[in-house]
Every structure is written in structure tokens, then in C-alpha cells.
Amino acid sequence: MHFAPDTDEALAFAVALANTVAGASRSGVDELPDPASLTALLDAYSYTGRFDRDEQELAAVRDTRDLLRSIFSMDRDSAVAAVNGMLQDAKALPQLVRHGAYDWHLHATEPQAPLDERVRAEIGLALVDVLRSDEQGRMRLCAAPDCDGVFVDLSRNGSKRFCSVRCGNRMNMVAFRSRGGGDGAGAGGVGAGRAGGDGAGAGGVGVDGAGAGGVGVDGVGAGRASGDGAGADGAGAGRAGVDRKSVAHAQTPGRQ
Ligand SMILES: [Zn+2]
Ligand SMILES: [Zn+2]
């Protein structure tokens, strides 16, 4: 599912910002330690307008990050109140603008407004789309117990459970090991059925196309390790079957 292009982009930025905290980042440390790191993040999302690039601006954006993260755990009405507050505080006035390579899209603040205010207004507008479409259920916390990541699931079937392929692979491996290295008999009908359905699992073209295929975390079972897999949702036994079949098909010579 998709919202307007600028909403999708704002949501992607919101998630990237929220996941810079130590508990969610790839590096395992806070990835917004200084103004330069903030600049890098903003550049990656083609942010325009005023940048002070100082500690005060950084602190304000970090506060915005906390606010944003909290919205992912709110019920719908509380999220609405938070978003209305963000828009009100920023005195948001939605206007269509066109600049650079960007076709008409929404801005809600002046380009010279403080960065944190612009971030809240832009993300606030995107969340307006999510909330009034009653799609808040797609704003989720990563299901990996050791991860503070958040994500917005825009996949068609809305079944993503992890913030990243990294978490999906890790949790898949944990589930795999807890099943005794995939020696899970009892896979039975479910396993076989899904193996077929998932197209022989050749390296995790799976659920959300992450395709990373678990790249040999340690070989086995990695096949279906992509984004949103296995295990923890009770389909465990069945998926053990899938994994084994996948491996059988996906195996490269000399591996095993
Ligand atoms: Zn713009
Ligand atoms: Zn995660």
C-alpha cells in the first residue's frame, strides 16, 4: 500500500530518524551524536531549507525523535492528539510547492523555520494521512525483543514484523536454532504447502522481497530469513519444513 509520494518519503524519513537511537541503529550506538551526523541524515533525504548545524538544532531534533518514537506506541486517539499538537506548534499551513527535482508536494512551514519545527510539520502531515486512512496499525515496533526499532509497513499484505532485514534474519536464526537446527519433523502439510507457495525459497525472495536471503548467517536455513519470517508467530513447525526444503533447493555445492 502507498500514500502520496511525499507522504511515503516523509514516513521513510520519520522511521530513519526514529531508528537512529542506540537500541535500534545498525551500529548499536546513537547515530545522531553531532551536527555532522544530522546533516548526513538530512542529505540522505534531500532536506532543504534552513540549517543551523549547531548543537541547539541537534538537541531540538533529538527531542523530536523522542516524540516521534512515542507516537509509534500510542493508541489512535492519542496519536491524533500528538499529531495535532505537532502541527499546531509548527503553525502548519499546508501549501503545495515545487522545487529542484521535486514535483508539487506539501510543505507546511516556511523554509526558514527552525529545522525541528519543519521536521515535525512534515512528519505530522504524513501521519495525518496514516491516521485518517485508519492505517495506524502499520506503524509498528520491531518484534525482535532486543531491538527498539520502529517501522511503517507499506507492504501489500501488511505482515512485516521486523524493522529491518537484519532483525528478520537474526530472529529467524534464533527461531531456527530453538527448533533444533531445523530438524523439525512435524513440518507436515504446512511446511510442504508453504514451500511450494513460497517458490522453493531460493534464497529468501520471500515475504517482503528483502531477498537478502539470510546470506549465510551460517548457511543453513538462511534461505527464508528475509524480512519477516519465521518462527515466532506460531507457524514454527511448519516453517521448519520450509526452511529445510529451501535449503535443499538453494544450497550451493560444497555447502552444508
Ligand atoms: Zn520540498
Ligand atoms: Zn529491529
Side-chain angles (χ1 to χ4, degrees), residues 23-24 142-144 146-150 162-164 166-168 170:
C142 182
D146 57 348
C147 177
D148 294 333
V150 300
F162 301 109
C163 72
S164 58
R166 175 170 46 97
C167 281
R170 188 175 68 257

Side-chain angles (χ1 to χ4, degrees), residues 48 97 99 102 105 107:
T48 56
V97 298
H99 59 82
Y102 286 88
H105 60 284
H107 278 200

Side-chain angles (χ1 to χ4, degrees), residues 2-140:
H2 286 284
F3 298 100
D6 52 344
T7 293
D8 279 1
E9 191 160 338
L11 292 174
F13 173 73
V15 166
L17 173 62
N19 287 344
T20 55
V21 297
S25 71
R26 174 176 279 273
S27 62
V29 298
D30 190 320
E31 291 184 346
L32 281 187
D34 50 32
S37 58
L38 176 57
T39 295
L41 177 67
L42 295 166
D43 285 351
Y45 287 87
S46 305
Y47 248 79
T48 56
R50 167 183 159 189
F51 304 111
D52 297 346
R53 306 190 201 282
D54 59 14
E55 292 293 337
Q56 191 184 345
E57 180 180 70
L58 175 67
V61 171
R62 289 168 59 107
D63 287 349
T64 297
R65 174 177 70 173
D66 293 342
L67 169 65
L68 175 60
R69 291 184 57 79
S70 72
I71 294 176
F72 277 80
S73 351
M74 287 179 190
D75 63 41
R76 191 168 182 230
D77 288 2
S78 306
V80 165
V83 167
N84 279 343
M86 286 162 75
L87 294 173
Q88 231 157 33
D89 292 348
K91 299 183 182 61
L93 177 64
Q95 297 280 294
L96 284 162
V97 298
R98 185 160 62 180
H99 59 82
Y102 286 88
D103 195 12
W104 294 115
H105 60 284
L106 279 177
H107 278 200
T109 50
E110 294 300 318
Q112 64 273 20
L115 177 61
D116 62 299
E117 200 169 284
R118 290 189 288 123
V119 166
R120 287 195 300 277
E122 180 184 301
I123 294 176
L125 278 185
L127 296 181
V128 161
D129 280 358
V130 174
L131 288 164
R132 69 187 166 149
S133 310
D134 198 10
E135 295 288 357
Q136 196 207 358
R138 288 178 178 265
M139 296 173 61
R140 303 201 196 117

